[in-house]
Amino acid sequence: IEGPTLAQIIEKTGKRLDAEHVAWITERILNVLMYMHERAIIHGDIKPQNVIIQPKSHTVVVVDFGLAMIRPKSNSASPGYTKKFAPPEQIQELPLLPASDFFSLGKTMLWALCGGDENDFNAHSVPASTPKPLCDFINSLIVRDILQRPQDTLQLHEEFMNVREQAFGRRRSGMKPIPGLD
C-alpha cells in the first residue's frame, strides 16, 4: 500500500500535525473501525505505525491485523500489544471491546498532535492551539476505565463530526496539504 505511515510523516516533517489534519485522519480511522466493529472485529493495535496516509487523496488505510480479535469472548486475551498505545484492559490481558480501539485511537491522536514528543505525549499535553472540543474528545477516549469510554462506533463517529463542527466550523475539512510532504 503506497504512502507513509502517520509515524513516518511525523518523523519526516519533524513537526506536530495541525489539529485539522488530525481530525480528518481520525474521521477516516473511525470509518474503518465502524466497518470492523460492525463485524465484531477488534483491531487491537491502532497506533501511528499502523496508519498509512495517502496525503494527496486524504485517504487512510489501517494495517497490521496481527493482534486483531474476531468476536472476542470473556476469556479472550490479546496475543500482544504496543504498551504506549494499548488500553489498560489489554495490558491486563482482559478481553478487548470496541472501546479498546477507541483508547488506542485517542492515544494516536494525542501522539500526532504532540508530534511524537515523548514528554508531551506522556503528560497528555496537546498544543495550546488545539481546539477545546478536540481535546475533550481525546480525553473521553483515553480514560482508564473502559466503561467510562464511548461504547458505540456509529455514535462516536457522529459525535466526532459534531466536534469538528464546533472546533473548525464545518463537519468536513478541505484537502489542505500536509506541510513537508510535497
Side-chain angles (χ1 to χ4, degrees):
I1 298 171
E2 289 186 34
T5 65
L6 181 55
Q8 290 168 331
I9 288 173
I10 298 295
E11 187 177 312
K12 179 180 181 191
T13 63
K15 299 179 194 173
R16 303 166 187 251
L17 269 191
D18 176 83
E20 205 158 357
H21 287 301
V22 172
W24 71 256
I25 291 167
T26 298
E27 183 210 348
R28 282 143 178 90
I29 294 171
L30 279 169
N31 287 337
V32 171
L33 292 177
M34 196 167 11
Y35 182 86
M36 291 176 58
H37 293 169
E38 284 174 357
R39 286 149 183 82
I41 301 168
I42 309 300
H43 187 278
D45 202 20
I46 299 292
K47 62 183 179 181
Q49 295 82 354
N50 289 341
V51 177
I52 294 176
I53 308 295
Q54 296 170 332
K56 288 188 183 356
S57 63
H58 276 215
T59 303
V60 171
V61 181
V62 176
V63 297
D64 190 357
F65 290 82
L67 300 179
M69 301 182 85
I70 301 170
R71 292 182 183 81
K73 307 268 188 283
S74 61
N75 62 348
S76 299
S78 178
Y81 55 86
T82 304
K83 187 174 184 177
K84 190 184 299 189
F85 299 97
E89 61 274 11
Q90 191 169 24
I91 294 169
Q92 296 168 5
E93 298 183 6
L94 297 171
L96 300 183
L97 298 171
S100 305
D101 281 343
F102 302 155
F103 181 94
S104 299
L105 174 61
K107 294 291 265 190
T108 297
M109 293 172 70
L110 178 64
W111 189 89
L113 288 167
C114 292
D117 181 284
E118 291 296 325
N119 292 328
D120 288 346
F121 178 80
N122 292 332
H124 294 171
S125 175
V126 297
S129 61
T130 304
K132 185 176 180 340
L134 193 59
C135 289
D136 292 345
F137 182 82
I138 292 169
N139 287 332
S140 76
L141 300 180
I142 60 175
V143 295
R144 296 193 56 75
D145 182 353
I146 192 170
L147 299 176
Q148 298 302 310
R149 283 181 231 141
Q151 301 294 314
D152 180 81
T153 314
L154 182 60
Q155 184 178 347
L156 183 64
H157 184 275
E158 183 57 33
E159 179 185 328
F160 186 69
M161 298 308 285
N162 292 333
V163 165
R164 286 179 75 180
E165 193 163 352
Q166 293 167 5
F168 308 111
R170 58 192 176 281
R171 293 171 72 87
R172 302 268 182 226
S173 54
M175 296 294 280
K176 179 169 102 174
I178 297 175
L181 291 183
D182 333 39

